[in-house]
Amino acid sequence: SALTDAVRALLPAEEARELIGAHWDRDGRLVLSVRSGAWAARLRFRQSELGAEHIRVRVAPPGDTD
């Protein structure tokens, strides 16, 4: 999606590769789907860089493309 591409553009290359998808939830939070818990923890620290007031990072099940 365009949002996923926009978020990837804001991340370092290594983290951008681990981002599976991004979308806004009903409450206006940016939801990021990543491949593992380790990447989820790293992306939580990027909240201010992503320009989102609130984010949620979830670990996607294997094979999930968001």
Side-chain angles (χ1 to χ4, degrees):
S1 75
L3 179 58
T4 301
D5 292 341
V7 171
R8 281 186 181 129
L10 296 171
L11 296 171
E14 185 178 34
E15 293 174 15
R17 282 191 299 272
E18 301 301 321
L19 178 67
I20 294 171
H23 68 273
W24 296 103
D25 72 8
R26 288 180 284 202
D27 297 322
R29 286 180 296 196
L30 178 61
V31 179
L32 306 176
S33 298
V34 296
R35 298 182 196 279
S36 74
W39 291 110
R42 286 179 67 167
L43 288 181
R44 282 187 191 98
F45 289 105
R46 300 250 180 231
Q47 179 173 328
S48 63
E49 294 171 44
L50 298 175
E53 189 171 327
H54 301 285
I55 66 169
R56 184 174 143 232
V57 184
R58 71 180 194 87
V59 177
D64 189 0
T65 59
D66 198 52

